[in-house]
Amino acid sequence: MLKARFLFYPLILLLFLFLVDSLFRIPYIQTITKIDLTAVNYKAKSDFLEKLVTEKPGVHSPKTKKIMLILGSSRLLYFDHDELVSFYPDWDIYNLSSAVTTPAYYDFQLTKVLDAGIRPDLVIMETDPNQFNQNSVFKSSNLTYSFDLSYVLSNLGLFGKDHVSFYLGRKLFAVGTYKPYLDQMWKNYKNPYLDNAIGMHQATYDYILTHNGNGLSPIDNYMEKDSNSLQMTSHRTLDWLFASYVRSPMQFGFYEKILDRLQTEKIKTVIIWPLSSPDFEALMEKEPLVKTWEKEIDEITSNHNLSILKLKNDPSYTCNAFADGGHVAKDCYRSLMRSILLDYFRKFEPNHL
């Protein structure tokens, strides 16, 4: 038996690796490994979604207000919760938006909400050509920080083996997400502003959980007044989004899946293509792939008896302030919600206009 001890070496090595990996599941270690807010935002959204489906508004308690569900990216994340409560007292508005999102992410959230028996009176869903880019950061954002195993397996046909394998690797091994780069960890550990970053992480998490999913803006009411900066960030954003653009059949599949269910359950829906800065919009107009995407997405949407609210063509939207080339300033969220609800009333309740 002693001569066969070497047979246990692989098992011992495996146990050692899992022990080391478990260290990277400790929140403090994760913070000094990855100090940005991406993981915090996704964790908060995941916990908020769980809170929402547990409380089941309109199911466990009498429905006294209309329910609005917002599915979007960072461009729909920073509505002011207190203003929404004050300006729209007839609505309970739940914001499930997060940074760099896709139709797959929206479908996951919507599936959880509807399967819990919650019936929104209005679903707001963002759409944008980059959400349908096969070479986007989908793997390192949505697939890394969201979804659960049952959802991934139930949509195996859409995700495909590559994405499922990637998902399982990230879930089984924390070091797949929180890279053990010791030099960077040490640098973050010695950062004199580390305590401030940890405080910001907690504040961001708490804010999302207590403000119906609306995000805590790191720049609050800032707006960029330098036209050169807007132009530069527009070029950088476009290069980042479209440098290696390839149409994603998977994301189109999830988009149609969402529209099929919304149509089947007769849920009122406003699909919105948000506005970017004039510089960014001008650059987008020159991109043939954007026109190709727009034609295809319009056709799919109209086949489900819906249309897309394109803010660039909407005369009711008037705000012209931007945080950077790709994002409106927080001040414009007031006009954004007004345009959304005007579109809702035009399409579904014209007698109330």
Side-chain angles (χ1 to χ4, degrees), residues 104 116 172 248:
L172 288 173
S248 172

Side-chain angles (χ1 to χ4, degrees), residues 54 80 111 122 125 131 135-136 150 156-157 160 165 180 193-195 219 242 262 265 278 301 305 320 351:
T54 300
D80 188 296
T111 298
L122 175 61
M125 183 173 70
Q131 296 180 3
N135 292 326
S136 71
S150 62
L156 180 60
S165 297
Y193 301 105
L194 178 61
D195 287 343
I219 56 173
F242 299 116
L262 290 171
E265 302 206 16
T301 306
N305 299 317
N320 195 36
N351 293 334

